[in-house]
Amino acid sequence: MGEAAFADWGWRIPFLISVILLGVSLWIRLQLEESPVFKQMKEEGTTSKAPLTEAFGRWENLKWVIVALFGAVAGQAVVWYSGQFYALFFLEKTLKVDGATANILIAIALALGTPFFILFGWLSDKIGRKPIILAGCALAALTYFPAFHMLTTAANPVMAKAQASAAVTVNADPGACAFQFDPVGKEKFESTGCDIAKSALAKAGVSYTSVTRPRRTGEPADVWIGKRVLVAPEPWRLAEEDRAAAAEAFRKELAAATAAAGYPAKADLDAMNKPLVVAILFYLVLLVTMVYGPIAALLVELFPSRIRYTAMSLPYHIGNGWFGGFLPTTAFAMVAATGNIYYGLWYPVIVAVITLIVGLLFLPETFRRSLHP
C-alpha cells in the first residue's frame, strides 16, 4: 500500500484483524476445564489459602523458584530472543538487509523450525526435559559466535570484506564515552564527541576498535578509517543552537567515509547467499525449539500442585521479560561500547552458560513426576 498510506492508517489493519484471533482464543478458553488434580484439591479443600506466601516465603519452595529461573528459564529466554528477535535485529540494523527481506527470511526459518517444537516436546516425554533444554543452551553458547560470523558473510559479503580490509578505530578518552544503554529508545547520545561517533558507527553496523587515549582535557575524539581521520565535534565547545547541526554533519561525513572505504549502506540482495542465510536462521530457530519445547512441562512438574500457578509464573515471566526482553537493548549497548558488532552475543552466551551450570548442578529431572500432590 506504500509507506505513506501504511504510516497514516495501514498499520491499524493487523490490530483490527487480530479481533478474529481474540475471538478464537476466547472460544478456546471457554472450552477448557480445570485439571483433575485441581478439581480434586478444590473438592477436598486443600488448595493454598496464601499462595504468594507459600510459594515465595518458604525456602523449600523459593529455592525451586530460583533454580527454575537460573537453571532453565533464563537460558531458554536468551536463546529464544537471540534466535528470533536478535537475529532479525542483526540482519536489519547491523547487516543492513532491508526490512521486508529480513522478515521473509526469518519467516521461512520459523516455518521450517516450528514442527520441532512438537518434536522436542515429544522427545522430552521420552528422555527428559533437562537434557534437551541444557543441550540447547550448550549449543548456543558454543556456536553463536561462528553462526553470526557466518551470517554476516552470507547476508552481506561486501560488509564482511570491508571489515577485513578497512579497519575502523575510535580514539577517545574513555571517561568521555557513555555506556549506550537505551531501553526506551529516547536517548540520542550526543553529549560528547565519543558518544556521537560510537553511536553513529554502531547504528551503521560498522565494526570498530576502541583505543584508549591518555586523559587530556578538551581533546576531541577522532575516528580513523584506513588512513583517513575524522574529528568528532565536541558539543560543549559549540553554541547550543549549533550542536545538533554539527553532530548531523559529522554523521554524514562519517557515512561518506565508510562508504568510500567499502562499507555498504545496505546489503546487496544479488550478492546475498539466501539459502545459506535461511540455513543459519533455521539452526538458530532449532535451538529455540530445543529450549522452549519442554519448558512448560518442566515448570508444571517442578512445583507442588497447590502453589504451581503462582510459583511457576515468577521465574517464567522474569526470565523471559527481563533476561530475554532486555537482550536487544543490552547487546546493542555492548556493541556501541566496544565497537565489535559481535560483542553483544556475550550476553546470551554468558546467561546460557549460567543456566547450563545451575541446571546441571541443581535442576532435577521431572518428566516422570506425578502431578498429584
Side-chain angles (χ1 to χ4, degrees), residues 15-26:
F15 292 92
L16 295 174
I17 295 175
S18 70
V19 171
I20 298 172
L21 295 177
L22 176 63
V24 172
S25 62
L26 180 62

Side-chain angles (χ1 to χ4, degrees), residues 3 88 91-92 96-108 269 272 274:
E3 290 188 15
L88 178 61
L91 275 175
E92 191 172 351
K96 303 304 175 184
V97 178
D98 70 273
T101 301
N103 277 276
I104 290 171
L105 294 171
I106 289 284
I108 293 171
L269 298 186
M272 181 188 298
K274 295 184 181 68

Side-chain angles (χ1 to χ4, degrees), residues 38-106:
F38 189 77
K39 284 183 177 180
Q40 179 184 343
M41 291 176 63
K42 287 186 68 175
E43 293 170 358
E44 296 174 352
T46 57
T47 56
S48 176
K49 301 297 188 291
L52 286 172
T53 301
E54 191 171 342
F56 309 126
R58 299 181 185 177
W59 176 245
E60 62 269 23
N61 292 325
L62 179 60
K63 68 180 179 182
W64 294 119
V65 173
I66 297 172
V67 168
L69 174 59
F70 291 101
V73 182
Q76 167 259 304
V78 296
V79 173
W80 174 24
Y81 273 72
S82 297
Q84 292 183 217
F85 305 114
Y86 189 64
L88 178 61
F89 176 91
F90 190 80
L91 275 175
E92 191 172 351
K93 302 301 183 182
T94 302
L95 301 184
K96 303 304 175 184
V97 178
D98 70 273
T101 301
N103 277 276
I104 290 171
L105 294 171
I106 289 284

Side-chain angles (χ1 to χ4, degrees), residues 69 73-74 77 312-325:
L69 174 59
V73 182
M312 68 179 285
S313 293
L314 187 142
Y316 182 80
H317 290 101
I318 287 183
N320 285 284
W322 288 82
F323 283 92

Side-chain angles (χ1 to χ4, degrees), residues 13-292:
I13 294 176
F15 292 92
L16 295 174
I17 295 175
S18 70
V19 171
I20 298 172
L21 295 177
L22 176 63
V24 172
S25 62
L26 180 62
W27 176 81
I28 292 173
R29 181 65 186 90
L30 292 174
Q31 307 307 306
L32 294 177
E33 297 181 0
E34 297 291 357
S35 68
V37 174
F38 189 77
K39 284 183 177 180
Q40 179 184 343
M41 291 176 63
K42 287 186 68 175
E43 293 170 358
E44 296 174 352
T46 57
T47 56
S48 176
K49 301 297 188 291
L52 286 172
T53 301
E54 191 171 342
F56 309 126
R58 299 181 185 177
W59 176 245
E60 62 269 23
N61 292 325
L62 179 60
K63 68 180 179 182
W64 294 119
V65 173
I66 297 172
V67 168
L69 174 59
F70 291 101
V73 182
Q76 167 259 304
V78 296
V79 173
W80 174 24
Y81 273 72
S82 297
Q84 292 183 217
F85 305 114
Y86 189 64
L88 178 61
F89 176 91
F90 190 80
L91 275 175
E92 191 172 351
K93 302 301 183 182
T94 302
L95 301 184
K96 303 304 175 184
V97 178
D98 70 273
T101 301
N103 277 276
I104 290 171
L105 294 171
I106 289 284
I108 293 171
L110 285 171
L112 295 173
T114 295
F116 289 87
F117 285 105
I118 300 172
L119 174 64
F120 285 114
W122 169 83
L123 187 60
S124 75
D125 286 337
K126 306 299 180 183
I127 66 173
R129 326 296 185 195
K130 179 175 172 177
I132 297 174
I133 293 173
L134 298 187
C137 289
L139 286 171
L142 290 171
T143 63
Y144 267 175
F145 280 99
F148 276 81
H149 274 85
M150 191 182 300
L151 187 60
T152 299
T153 303
N156 196 336
V158 178
M159 177 178 286
K161 183 179 179 181
Q163 290 172 356
S165 61
V168 178
T169 304
V170 176
N171 297 277
D173 173 4
C177 305
F179 184 68
Q180 299 188 15
F181 183 74
D182 184 21
V184 295
K186 298 296 184 181
E187 183 61 56
K188 293 184 178 180
F189 297 106
E190 294 184 349
S191 59
T192 68
C194 177
D195 288 349
I196 293 171
K198 288 190 172 183
S199 175
L201 289 169
K203 290 178 180 177
V206 176
S207 193
Y208 62 90
T209 302
S210 293
V211 175
T212 300
R213 170 182 289 164
R215 187 180 296 275
R216 296 181 185 138
T217 303
E219 187 172 5
D222 55 50
V223 181
W224 289 67
I225 305 170
K227 294 182 178 180
R228 183 174 179 182
V229 183
L230 305 180
V231 179
E234 289 296 342
W236 63 272
R237 293 184 173 184
L238 303 171
E240 187 172 353
E241 62 271 17
D242 297 330
R243 293 173 184 174
E248 182 61 27
F250 175 77
R251 282 190 287 266
K252 290 181 178 178
E253 185 182 13
L254 187 63
T258 53
Y263 289 88
K266 62 180 181 179
D268 182 356
L269 298 186
D270 292 331
M272 181 188 298
N273 187 339
K274 295 184 181 68
L276 182 55
V277 171
V278 170
I280 297 167
L281 295 176
F282 168 71
Y283 169 72
L284 296 176
V285 171
L286 192 66
L287 297 182
V288 176
T289 65
M290 290 181 70
V291 298
Y292 198 77

